[in-house]
Amino acid sequence: MLGLGADLLWADMNRLLGFLFHQGVLDEHFLQLHHLQDESSPSFVSEVLNIYFHESEKLLNNLRSLLMDRDFSDYNKMAIHLNQFMGSSSSIGAKRLTTVCLAFRAATQHSNRPGCLRALEMLQHEYCYLKNKLHELFQIEQQRALAAAARYPLQNNQ
Amino acid sequence: MGMSAAAQFHVLAVDDSLIDRMLIERLLKTSSFHVTTVDSAIKALQYLGMVEDKLKINVNLIITDYCMPEMTGHDLLRKIKVESNSLKDIPVVIMSSENVPSRINRCLEDGAEEFFLKPVQQSDVNKLKPHLLKSRSKEEEETQPSNNNKRKTRIKCTI
């Protein structure tokens, strides 16, 4: 019964991953991240993603403070934060988020404040969506690993 | 200190993004490179200065991001290839998230061995070994005693 659970969870995980790829939320660089994880670095993916979330939230706050400032005019500074956000999003395979950053960047290049505000809102929305989905993925993977370990408790003692 | 083919190559990776540093380090390590990472071009120069002075740690290749505050990867490239005597033989690879042909050409003209578009992939890292092996064999030739002047080519004998 536990074995069946692990298989169902595996199917759930693949379904969610497939969905996220199909929707263009993630791309192959997300998979590459997983290929870099092995026995010598078993929690590499979660380490990278945790740092990504932490950095992203800081950058989003910076962007928001800059834009909310009534005397705001430093589009260059905003572009710097944006480029950083775009770079790390692209590196972990967050394709749709990267695309939204591009639109935001175009607005900064035209010093288009209303455009920037709209883009920021979209960015926040997209980021929240990504974070939730990645957490969901991670939870399923955790449950699956537990279920699989319960099925084969002696697997490591060959 | 082993000069065998199995001796690890030491790569210095330069990137101001923590995530990109983690990724490139992991990528290089899974290809059996020994890796040192720094977060700026200035720190890279400090490390290289320290290294070539007394410590006898070899840096076999430098891989650097292009876009960095204060000193760019291109500035670093020029410091190494144009303005330095002791460092100019170290192969330098540039990485960038932007695909700007003029930028790429400029870097290659100024001495970069390769230009990788980010995110860097395993297939990119696989391109590094030939550059490193070429440098290593050049190094070995230079440290050979000079009584072999007449023998310019190695003749492989199979009986």
Side-chain angles (χ1 to χ4, degrees):
Chain A
M1 228 162 11
L2 282 170
L4 188 57
D7 289 336
L8 287 174
L9 287 166
W10 179 253
D12 278 346
M13 200 170 81
N14 280 332
R15 194 169 28 238
L16 179 54
L17 255 177
F19 172 75
L20 292 170
F21 269 80
H22 187 257
Q23 295 294 100
V25 176
L26 296 174
D27 65 22
E28 71 273 16
H29 300 294
F30 184 72
L31 287 182
Q32 213 205 358
L33 200 61
H34 285 76
H35 290 151
L36 292 175
Q37 179 164 294
D38 59 21
E39 312 81 46
S40 64
S41 201
S43 36
F44 181 70
V45 176
S46 56
E47 280 168 27
V48 171
L49 290 180
N50 282 330
I51 290 172
Y52 173 71
F53 293 143
H54 183 73
E55 268 190 15
S56 299
E57 276 149 43
K58 231 173 23 178
L59 287 166
L60 279 168
N61 282 333
N62 290 342
L63 288 168
R64 199 178 309 127
S65 323
L66 279 171
L67 270 174
M68 292 306 167
D69 182 356
R70 212 169 303 174
D71 303 321
F72 166 71
S73 61
D74 200 344
Y75 286 97
N76 266 338
K77 194 164 184 187
M78 207 156 62
I80 292 172
H81 290 313
L82 206 46
N83 280 333
Q84 203 179 332
F85 193 12
M86 198 159 72
S88 44
S89 300
S90 158
S91 290
I92 63 146
K95 181 167 150 187
R96 208 158 74 180
L97 197 51
T98 307
T99 309
V100 177
C101 285
L102 274 171
F104 197 152
R105 189 163 74 171
T108 65
Q109 284 162 348
H110 290 98
S111 302
N112 176 1
R113 184 140 178 229
C116 287
L117 284 164
R118 273 196 301 274
L120 177 62
E121 208 175 293
M122 216 159 75
L123 201 59
Q124 281 173 181
H125 178 261
E126 195 57 51
Y127 171 76
C128 280
Y129 181 78
L130 177 71
K131 188 173 176 184
N132 283 336
K133 289 301 166 195
L134 290 181
H135 273 149
E136 206 179 306
L137 208 56
F138 187 67
Q139 270 175 336
I140 300 174
E141 166 56 14
Q142 292 285 76
Q143 287 170 352
R144 191 201 62 82
L146 276 172
R151 193 194 344 184
Y152 299 114
L154 296 176
Q155 202 164 23
N156 293 330
N157 294 358
Q158 300 291 331
Chain B
M1 202 166 48
M3 285 299 279
S4 67
Q8 269 190 321
F9 288 118
H10 181 201
V11 178
L12 176 65
V14 190
D15 201 319
D16 60 319
S17 157
L18 172 57
I19 287 185
D20 287 344
R21 276 202 305 281
M22 290 172 78
L23 289 174
I24 194 71
E25 182 178 34
R26 194 75 212 119
L27 255 174
L28 291 166
K29 280 187 172 167
T30 56
S31 296
S32 307
F33 292 108
H34 173 53
V35 188
T36 300
T37 60
V38 291
D39 65 8
S40 74
I42 294 170
K43 289 204 186 132
L45 287 170
Q46 286 171 345
Y47 182 81
L48 288 163
M50 197 177 79
V51 148
E52 55 130 347
D53 247 346
K54 279 128 191 127
L55 295 174
K56 274 295 166 191
I57 307 164
N58 268 328
V59 170
N60 304 115
L61 183 133
I62 298 160
I63 181 164
T64 176
D65 188 24
Y66 184 92
C67 252
M68 294 187 288
E70 291 176 349
M71 195 190 284
T72 66
H74 184 244
D75 296 330
L76 178 61
L77 172 69
R78 288 191 62 80
K79 286 247 180 256
I80 290 167
K81 291 291 178 184
V82 177
E83 299 173 33
S84 153
N85 226 350
S86 47
L87 301 173
K88 65 177 164 62
D89 291 327
I90 304 179
V92 180
V93 169
I94 313 275
M95 309 179 275
S96 177
S97 47
E98 314 273 351
N99 189 350
V100 181
S102 57
R103 175 187 291 185
I104 297 174
N105 285 329
R106 199 164 8 118
C107 287
L108 294 173
E109 279 164 19
D110 282 344
E113 304 292 335
E114 297 272 358
F115 192 105
F116 295 158
L117 282 175
K118 282 181 168 182
V120 177
Q121 311 187 56
Q122 188 62 60
S123 53
D124 295 315
V125 172
N126 293 341
K127 292 182 192 168
L128 297 178
K129 287 243 163 93
H131 294 296
L132 287 161
L133 290 168
K134 195 171 63 178
S135 297
R136 177 157 282 177
S137 60
K138 201 160 62 158
E139 222 175 85
E140 281 175 1
E141 251 175 56
E142 284 165 10
T143 60
Q144 290 291 349
S146 55
N147 55 5
N148 281 346
N149 277 349
K150 295 209 179 122
R151 236 212 313 216
K152 294 284 181 183
T153 49
R154 287 234 182 101
I155 300 162
K156 195 171 178 181
C157 290
T158 46
I159 298 171

